[in-house]
């Protein structure tokens, strides 16, 4: 038996299919590796040369040579730049041929040593027995796996004619189209399911409550008749007013506080209780003819009645024009007009009360000042009268004038008597009978003059001196004059205050009189149903958004 000098490795190209473009992950998982699809030769990337890490086949009967260490071969394979797909194919090939491999690169190394294409989908090369096995000496090599040259004889295996299968591109396109169609059907089915679920929810949570509200407003609700009226609060301001008061005189700013006060009073419980006492407000709304939602269930409850009062008595104040608008709703037209007139009367009473209190506050000070000045004037006059009665002097000036004239007369007489006495005494032998009377008259005149002068400045048995009486009377009379002046000023102030109070007078002027309507104003079925629809839709939208956010948070 001849021995071949050296084993030669041949590259045998079998008809295999060229690799098709990578299909989607879903279709790639469903398609098994079918060797029948490999119809064209597979190029390993090295051309006609042998693998760089492959070793030449050993001589028959000898052990395969180990020219390179496994680590060096693995490093050389890493430097080849193989793709992940090629490494996965190598690992599958190694598992198929039951070749143990520690890594993808080790699988490539061992497949190449075994003479297999690491990047094919099926085995492309069968193990060729060594020359010794072909001659029947297989026991010498001990199971070596070296490749022998293929003899060129008719005994070689023939290529299998390719089956008439669709090309990979066509099959990939069909698979892709079927996947897209299936996904579209699934998306359409999910959309229909979601739309049905959405319509069901909208019908339950929005449509049904809206229908109930529409039925109530159109059929069950008691018709309410609204009477509208308008009035304005004006001020009797004088056209001659000046300053800031003149700027705002006659405008809505002059009576804005009064308008707001009247509006607050008409919306108070006091106005509701007065209206109930006058026309029986609670009794009419507690009538069984009123529907359940608008009916007053407990007529004795003030709070429940006040809620219905605020709902049916609407008062608004237009600050730009200063007009108060009143709208009163009642189960009957006449009742609505009567209630409106009654509330306008309450408003007018409140305006008059505010005006009267303002007038009283403004005139109270002037009135008190005038009364005090008048009382003090009367007291000073009484003081003068008491002094006159006590001193028995009507006027100190008159008394002084009278005494002064008397003293002057006596002084004149005394001078004449003294001249007559001097003439008598000038005679060497005066007549004693004529001299003594003259002397006695002179002495009498002197005493009288001294007495009169004493009455002017000295207190005597007859009473107080005229000087003291005159001083007290002058003081009392000056006080009377002062009090008289103060009283005059107080009277002027009182008159001015009265004029100012008249200017501050407020009165209610009715712009639109209440007239009983002939058509019910409430309920407004279409508007109220639309509002109910929007409210229910908004509530449903908020709940749906909240549930979606919570679901997303929980899933994450």
């Amino acid at each position: 038996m001849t021995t071949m000098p050296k084993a030669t490795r041949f590259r045998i190209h079998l008809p295999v299919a060229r690799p098709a473009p990578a299909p989607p992950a879903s279709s790639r998982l469903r398609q098994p590796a079918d060797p029948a699809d490999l119809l064209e030769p597979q190029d390993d990337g090295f051309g006609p040369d042998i693998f760089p890490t492959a070793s030449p086949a050993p001589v028959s009967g000898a052990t395969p040579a180990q020219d390179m260490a496994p680590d060096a071969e693995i490093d050389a394979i890493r430097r080849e730049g193989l793709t992940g797909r090629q490494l996965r194919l190598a690992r599958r090939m190694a598992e198929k041929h039951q070749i143990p491999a520690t890594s993808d690169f080790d699988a490539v190394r061992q497949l190449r040593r075994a003479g297999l294409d690491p990047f094919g989908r099926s085995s492309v090369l069968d193990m060729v027995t060594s020359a010794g096995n072909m001659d029947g000496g297989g026991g010498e090599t001990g199971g070596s796996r070296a490749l022998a040259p293929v003899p060129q004889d008719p005994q070689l295996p023939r290529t299998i004619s390719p089956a008439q299968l669709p090309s990979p591109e066509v099959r990939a396109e069909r698979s892709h189209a079927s996947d897209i169609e299936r996904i579209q059907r699934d998306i359409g089915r999910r959309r229909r399911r979601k739309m049905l679920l959405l319509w069901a929810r909208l019908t339950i949570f929005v449509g049904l409550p809206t229908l109930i509200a529409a039925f109530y407003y159109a059929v069950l609700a008691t018709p309410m008749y609204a009477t509208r009226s308008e009035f304005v609060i004006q001020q009797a301001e004088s056209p001659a007013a000046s300053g800031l008061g003149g700027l705002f005189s006659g405008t809505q700013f002059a009576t804005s506080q009064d308008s707001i006060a009247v509006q607050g009073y008409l919306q108070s419980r006091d106005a509701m209780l007065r209206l109930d006492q006058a026309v029986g407000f609670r009794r009419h709304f507690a009538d069984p003819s009123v529907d359940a939602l608008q009916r007053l269930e407990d007529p004795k409850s003030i709070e429940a009645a006040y809620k219905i009062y605020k709902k049916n008595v609407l008062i608004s104040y237009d600050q730009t024009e200063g007009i108060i608008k009143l709208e009163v709703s009642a189960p009957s037209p006449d009742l609505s007009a009567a209630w409106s007139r009654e509330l306008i009367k309450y408003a007018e009473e409140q305006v008059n009360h505010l005006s009267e209190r303002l007038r009283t506050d403004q005139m109270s000070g002037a009135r008190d000042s005038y009364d005090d000045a008048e009382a003090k004037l009367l007291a000073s006059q009484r003081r003068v009268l008491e002094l006159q009665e006590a001193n028995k002097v009507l006027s100190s000036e008159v008394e002084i004038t009278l005494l002064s004239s008397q003293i002057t007369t006596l002084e004149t007489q005394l001078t004449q008597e003294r001249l007559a006495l001097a003439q008598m005494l000038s005679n060497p032998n005066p007549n004693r009978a004529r001299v003594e009377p003259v002397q006695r008259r002179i002495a009498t005149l002197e005493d009288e003059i001294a007495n009169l002068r004493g009455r002017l400045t000295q207190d005597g048995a007859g009473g107080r001196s005229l000087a003291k009486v005159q001083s007290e009377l002058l003081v009392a009379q000056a006080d009377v004059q002062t009090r008289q002046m103060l009283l005059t000023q107080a009277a002027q102030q009182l008159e001015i205050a009265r004029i100012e109070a008249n200017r501050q007078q407020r009165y209610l002027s009715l712009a639109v009189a209440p007239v009983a309507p002939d058509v019910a104003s409430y309920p407004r079925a279409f508007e109220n149903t639309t509002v109910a629809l929007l409210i229910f839709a908004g509530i449903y939208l908020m709940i749906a958004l909240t549930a979606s956010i919570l679901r997303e948070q929980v899933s994450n």
Side-chain angles (χ1 to χ4, degrees):
M1 181 179 62
T2 61
T3 303
M4 296 179 65
K6 188 175 183 181
T8 304
R9 182 181 296 272
F10 293 91
R11 180 176 300 275
I12 300 176
H13 294 276
L14 296 179
V16 295
R18 294 185 182 275
S26 60
S27 62
R28 186 166 64 246
L29 294 176
R30 294 194 304 270
Q31 294 176 357
D34 189 2
D37 295 339
L38 307 175
L39 302 178
E40 296 181 9
Q42 176 75 25
D43 190 4
D44 58 0
F46 294 96
D49 299 331
I50 64 173
F51 300 115
T53 58
S55 302
V59 181
S60 178
T63 306
Q66 302 293 336
D67 296 337
M68 297 180 66
D71 294 339
E73 293 181 8
I74 292 174
D75 292 339
I77 293 170
R78 283 198 178 97
R79 289 193 293 271
E80 293 176 8
L82 301 177
T83 63
R85 181 174 178 275
Q86 292 174 334
L87 294 176
R88 288 193 296 272
L89 289 175
R91 173 59 71 91
R92 292 173 187 166
M93 186 68 71
E95 291 177 355
K96 181 176 181 182
H97 292 278
Q98 297 181 356
I99 297 175
T102 59
S103 64
D104 294 343
F105 297 103
D106 186 51
V108 174
R109 182 184 66 82
Q110 294 192 29
L111 287 172
R112 287 177 178 175
R113 279 187 172 275
L116 299 175
D117 183 7
F119 311 117
R121 292 181 178 271
S122 62
S123 177
V124 297
L125 185 63
D126 294 328
M127 299 298 295
V128 181
T129 58
S130 63
N133 290 335
M134 292 175 60
D135 295 340
E140 296 178 2
T141 60
S144 64
R145 304 177 64 182
L147 298 177
V150 180
Q152 300 296 329
D153 56 13
Q155 301 297 328
L156 292 175
R158 298 179 181 179
T159 59
I160 302 174
S161 59
Q164 297 298 326
L165 297 176
S167 63
E169 291 80 1
V170 175
R171 287 190 291 107
E173 185 177 357
R174 291 179 179 176
S175 177
H176 185 63
S178 63
D179 290 341
I180 291 176
E181 185 178 359
R182 181 182 57 79
I183 292 172
Q184 289 178 348
R185 287 197 301 269
D186 185 56
I187 291 175
R189 185 167 56 256
R190 291 184 180 180
R191 284 181 179 177
R192 288 192 296 273
R193 187 183 300 112
K194 287 183 178 180
M195 289 300 295
L196 290 176
L197 182 60
L198 177 61
W199 277 110
R201 290 177 178 175
L202 288 175
T203 302
I204 294 174
F205 296 106
V206 179
L208 185 59
T210 304
L211 289 177
I212 295 175
F215 178 75
Y216 167 74
Y217 289 126
V219 178
L220 299 180
T222 301
M224 291 292 173
Y225 298 86
T227 300
R228 296 175 179 84
S229 58
E230 297 180 2
F231 55 89
V232 63
I233 298 175
Q234 296 179 345
Q235 179 180 355
E237 186 69 32
S238 174
S242 60
L244 293 178
L247 292 177
F248 298 107
S249 175
T251 63
Q252 69 275 10
F253 299 103
T255 59
S256 60
Q257 294 182 351
D258 298 330
S259 301
I260 294 173
V262 171
Q263 178 186 5
Y265 175 75
L266 293 181
Q267 291 177 338
S268 65
R269 292 177 175 82
D270 187 16
M272 186 269 294
L273 293 176
R274 289 184 63 183
L275 186 64
D276 180 58
Q277 293 176 358
V279 296
F281 175 80
R282 288 186 285 183
R283 175 172 52 82
H284 287 90
F285 273 97
D287 192 271
S289 61
V290 181
D291 64 271
L293 295 182
Q294 301 185 75
R295 186 187 309 138
L296 180 60
E297 298 295 339
D298 186 8
K300 297 181 180 180
S301 176
I302 297 178
E303 291 300 324
Y306 183 61
K307 290 181 180 179
I308 296 178
Y309 176 81
K310 290 193 298 182
K311 181 180 178 182
N312 292 276
V313 178
L314 303 179
I315 304 172
S316 62
Y317 172 61
D318 188 356
Q319 296 183 356
T320 58
E321 299 180 359
I323 297 176
I324 299 177
K325 299 179 180 180
L326 176 63
E327 180 179 341
V328 181
S329 300
S332 65
D334 297 335
L335 193 60
S336 174
W339 289 0
S340 181
R341 285 190 292 269
E342 193 71 20
L343 290 175
I344 291 174
K345 185 178 72 173
Y346 298 162
E348 188 173 4
E349 292 177 359
Q350 187 69 14
V351 170
N352 294 335
H353 175 70
L354 293 174
S355 299
E356 186 64 27
R357 185 168 183 177
L358 183 62
R359 286 170 54 86
T360 303
D361 292 341
Q362 287 186 349
M363 294 189 61
S364 60
R367 174 67 67 180
D368 294 342
S369 178
Y370 178 81
D371 293 341
D372 182 68
E374 187 178 12
K376 289 181 178 180
L377 176 61
L378 294 176
S380 62
Q381 289 178 348
R382 283 195 297 270
R383 174 64 177 167
V384 171
L385 181 61
E386 289 175 357
L387 289 175
Q388 290 175 349
E389 290 177 353
N391 297 310
K392 297 180 180 179
V393 176
L394 181 62
S395 174
S396 60
E397 296 293 337
V398 174
E399 292 292 333
I400 292 174
T401 303
L402 180 60
L403 291 176
S404 297
S405 62
Q406 291 179 1
I407 291 173
T408 301
T409 302
L410 292 176
E411 288 285 347
T412 301
Q413 292 179 3
L414 178 62
T415 302
Q416 290 175 358
E417 291 296 334
R418 283 179 179 177
L419 290 175
L421 179 60
Q423 186 177 5
M424 289 179 182
L425 292 177
S426 63
N427 190 1
N429 295 312
N431 187 357
R432 303 294 297 178
R434 294 181 60 184
V435 171
E436 290 180 358
V438 172
Q439 289 180 345
R440 284 195 297 271
R441 283 197 299 273
I442 291 173
T444 302
L445 290 174
E446 290 179 350
D447 293 339
E448 186 65 22
I449 291 172
N451 186 18
L452 291 175
R453 291 184 182 277
R455 288 180 58 187
L456 290 175
T457 58
Q458 296 178 1
D459 295 336
R464 302 172 62 188
S465 65
L466 191 58
K468 292 182 178 181
V469 173
Q470 184 185 15
S471 63
E472 291 180 357
L473 285 175
L474 289 176
V475 171
Q477 291 174 356
D479 184 54
V480 170
Q481 293 177 358
T482 302
R483 297 301 176 186
Q484 185 67 39
M485 183 178 61
L486 292 176
L487 181 62
T488 303
Q489 294 179 355
Q492 293 177 355
Q493 292 179 357
L494 180 62
E495 187 64 22
I496 292 173
R498 183 181 292 106
I499 295 173
E500 292 295 330
N502 293 332
R503 290 176 181 177
Q504 298 296 328
Q505 178 70 26
R506 267 78 168 172
Y507 58 92
L508 187 145
S509 177
L510 191 61
V512 178
V515 178
D518 56 352
V519 177
S521 303
Y522 301 100
R524 300 173 180 173
F526 179 75
E527 291 85 348
N528 294 341
T529 304
T530 304
V531 172
L533 175 61
L534 295 177
I535 291 174
F536 292 137
I539 294 174
Y540 173 77
L541 181 59
M542 289 190 298
I543 294 175
L545 289 176
T546 304
S548 177
I549 293 172
L550 293 177
R551 191 184 304 111
E552 183 178 356
Q553 294 292 333
V554 171
S555 62
N556 291 336

